[in-house]
Amino acid sequence: MSNSYPLPKTFNRSKVQPRCSLPAVLSLAVIGILAGCTSDPTKYQGLKSTPVLSLQKSGENKFQYVADDVDFSSYKYAIVDPVEIYQQSDGQFGGTSSDDRIYIAKYIDKVLPTAVKKQYNLVQQPGPGTLRFHVTLTGLQKSIPVLSTISHVSSFGLVTNGLMQAAGQNGTAYGAVYYAVEIYDAQTSKLLYAHVTVQTPDALDPTVSFGYLDAAREGVRIGAHHLMQKLQQLSKQGRTVVNEQTGSLGQSSASAPPN
């Protein structure tokens, strides 16, 4: 005897619709938020360095300035100013609150000096061979915690974020931090270096997807590390030679090959 039972006459297999799986739902959600990817920083009009900043053709610094004929290797000391929060209307803070901005500014105040003192001796007073670091927080973008976490562990999310990383974009639902760095000779107040950047975590990094400011915090850490790498590069080049059209570095006179 067969144990099967006849299906009701009203049952039609062709009309049965499978339930949407979680990855499928996430796929639709992720696609919907891709248009909200991190935008480029602007040439903020309220910065002291704005008149000399040049648009960069490539790299993470959207705008940059390097003073000509400066020997960065001669600087052994550094002063780090408290972070300034940008107040002009062209800031990129979106819907973040003043508390969020203060929190990230204080986080930069903690992270940047730690990075700087690995290369320079921190001091309180201007003197010969001393740099002064001034950072202005110009924008902030929050993560979407639940969506950013799940979208980084689903198979669709991994593929999507892999493509976004290859394109140089931030991860799905990830936040970011926007800021300007201005570095002066502390004794003469001459502007030596400046850049405007946006920093966000690696698109495939799921560890910073839990809190809505975690990605911005990671961006601060990445940015501080990259800044010190940039200064190491400048220090190794001897006196700088700058392309006035782009603000990019040319070959220094110290490293130029003989004729």
Side-chain angles (χ1 to χ4, degrees), residues 185-252:
D185 181 299
Q187 193 169 34
T188 66
S189 296
K190 176 184 177 180
L191 180 65
L192 305 179
Y193 175 83
H195 74 228
V196 173
T197 190
V198 55
Q199 295 289 344
T200 188
D202 187 311
L204 291 175
D205 183 1
T207 64
V208 292
S209 62
F210 300 101
Y212 70 95
L213 290 177
D214 281 359
R217 283 162 50 97
E218 179 65 10
V220 169
R221 294 191 289 269
I222 292 172
H225 177 67
H226 289 181
L227 174 61
M228 302 318 298
Q229 287 183 323
K230 181 68 175 182
L231 290 173
Q232 285 179 345
Q233 175 194 352
L234 290 170
S235 295
K236 290 178 181 178
Q237 285 192 284
R239 290 192 175 275
T240 55
V241 178
V242 181
N243 184 322
E244 294 182 358
Q245 296 301 314
T246 65
S248 61
L249 287 173
Q251 188 176 47
S252 69

Side-chain angles (χ1 to χ4, degrees), residues 9-10 23 35 40 44 58 62 68-69 71 79 84 94 96 101 108 110 118 130 154 156 179 181 199 227 253:
K9 293 182 179 180
T10 56
D40 287 338
Y44 308 106
S58 61
K62 184 68 174 179
D68 201 356
D69 196 31
D71 184 1
I79 297 170
E84 177 184 354
T96 57
R101 302 170 197 182
I108 299 174
K110 175 183 177 182
K118 293 179 181 179
T130 304
S154 69
F156 177 85
Y179 60 88
V181 175
Q199 295 289 344
L227 174 61
S253 57

